[in-house]
Amino acid sequence: MTLWDGSYPFYPGANARFPFDTSRAVIVTVFLSVLVTFIVILPGIRGRGRLFWFLRLVLGLFVGAVVLTVQFTRDWETGWVQANTSYKSFSHLQVNADIGLHIGLAGLNVTLRGNPVNQINETIDYNEHFPWNFGADYEHSYSQGLQKGLPSPILYVAEKFSTRSACAVHGQYRIAGHYASLTLWLAFCTWLISILLFSMSILLYGGHMLLLTATLTLCSLLFFFNVRSTPKCPIQFGPVSLRMDYGESFWLTLGTGLLCLLLGLGVIILNSVQPEKLKLFFNLGKSSRGEEEWDKSCLPAEPSCSAQDVLMVPLGELCQVTATQL
């Protein structure tokens, strides 16, 4: 086996995993660019309306960025385990590695990282993606992994979620991911409508749209929770097993849904109880009060208005004064 450096010839070299998710990076960059653009014009807003405007901007962009980003993240459910396991099929060589499983709405990622990274004359650092979204074939991705000769731990974990597995969780995760993704896209649309309504000063309906956004966001969590609560086959590596738990995307989506719920309820309650404070938060109070003062200053009953003083002069006196001047 020295001819092939201790490995079989049909196994290619180790593929280094990509350092970050490009979809998440693009979305975060776009929303940060929008935030920076609006911060540039922030000094043009006077008074404490600047603070309210900035707060509305940050909250709105945060909700939109989260609802859009979690569509492409792969950490709705995660799990890690450190184990001594065989590295390749038909080989007795064992390595000490950290094995991670990351499940998203569109598929799963299996991570294998050596401890240390360099073992048996190889760099053990893998991150393989197996999709199950629309237009993707999970079985084809798994077959490609077999043809590439991926390490045994990755293939073992991926096989647990295949259609041929006795665990029968592939269909459940796939359907739950589709419905959760659909509700999140609807939540993103309702978020856009709420932003439009708030910009048009239609506050009550904007609050209703925020409530609808919160409802759709929380419904996506219910879809994923149903499949997470079903019993699963154990993923065993010798004496230890890989245990799964909710990931960052799940908790971030939950927090965003609750935030939209509180904001929507706050807008609706303030609109019925204290509408003036709500208008002040949306920079509508000062302009409306200014218009009211201008209207009151020009009422016919006000004696202080010069135009009304001229009109209240009797017609005879006005003609007499005019004749005297001539």
Side-chain angles (χ1 to χ4, degrees), residues 83-321:
N84 293 317
T85 179
S86 61
Y87 182 57
K88 298 289 188 179
S89 301
F90 311 109
S91 175
H92 297 290
L93 295 177
Q94 288 196 341
V95 295
N96 185 273
D98 296 324
I99 306 166
L101 175 59
H102 315 278
I103 300 178
L105 302 181
L108 60 88
N109 275 53
V110 184
T111 304
L112 180 67
R113 186 182 306 152
N115 193 14
V117 176
N118 296 315
Q119 297 184 49
I120 59 174
N121 297 327
E122 288 192 24
T123 301
I124 305 175
D125 194 7
Y126 288 84
N127 186 12
E128 297 292 332
H129 179 60
F130 300 91
W132 55 48
N133 57 329
F134 286 115
D137 189 354
Y138 186 91
E139 296 300 323
H140 179 68
S141 301
Y142 179 73
S143 300
Q144 284 184 334
L146 289 173
Q147 294 176 5
K148 290 190 299 183
L150 293 177
S152 296
I154 296 179
L155 296 176
Y156 168 69
V157 175
E159 186 182 8
K160 292 288 186 179
F161 294 85
S162 65
T163 57
R164 297 171 294 180
S165 175
C167 298
V169 294
H170 174 83
Q172 299 176 9
Y173 272 102
R174 186 171 182 268
I175 294 174
H178 290 171
Y179 280 105
S181 178
L182 176 62
T183 53
L184 284 175
W185 279 118
L186 292 176
F188 183 74
C189 294
T190 55
W191 169 78
L192 288 176
I193 296 174
S194 68
I195 295 297
L196 179 62
L197 292 174
F198 284 136
S199 63
M200 297 171 61
S201 302
I202 309 176
L203 306 182
L204 180 60
Y205 292 103
H208 289 162
M209 283 294 105
L210 274 182
L211 281 182
L212 185 56
T213 302
T215 303
L216 292 171
T217 304
L218 297 177
C219 284
S220 67
L221 298 176
L222 290 178
F223 288 127
F224 196 81
F225 173 78
N226 288 332
V227 66
R228 174 70 175 82
S229 60
T230 58
K232 301 178 180 61
C233 296
I235 303 177
Q236 201 77 22
F237 293 95
V240 296
S241 60
L242 195 154
R243 299 186 180 276
M244 304 295 295
D245 202 355
Y246 294 116
E248 296 179 0
S249 295
F250 182 90
W251 297 115
L252 187 60
T253 307
L254 177 61
T256 305
L258 295 178
L259 176 63
C260 291
L261 182 63
L262 292 177
L263 292 177
L265 289 176
V267 169
I268 294 174
I269 293 174
L270 283 178
N271 185 77
S272 59
V273 176
Q274 293 182 337
E276 293 300 325
K277 289 187 177 181
L278 182 62
K279 291 180 180 179
L280 182 62
F281 181 78
F282 283 91
N283 296 339
L284 301 176
K286 292 183 178 180
S287 61
S288 61
R289 282 199 297 267
E291 292 176 358
E292 290 177 359
E293 292 176 359
W294 186 86
D295 293 337
K296 290 181 179 179
S297 64
C298 294
L299 287 176
E302 291 288 341
S304 61
C305 184
S306 59
Q308 297 297 330
D309 292 342
V310 173
L311 293 177
M312 293 177 65
V313 177
L315 183 59
E317 295 180 3
L318 181 60
C319 295
Q320 183 178 1
V321 171

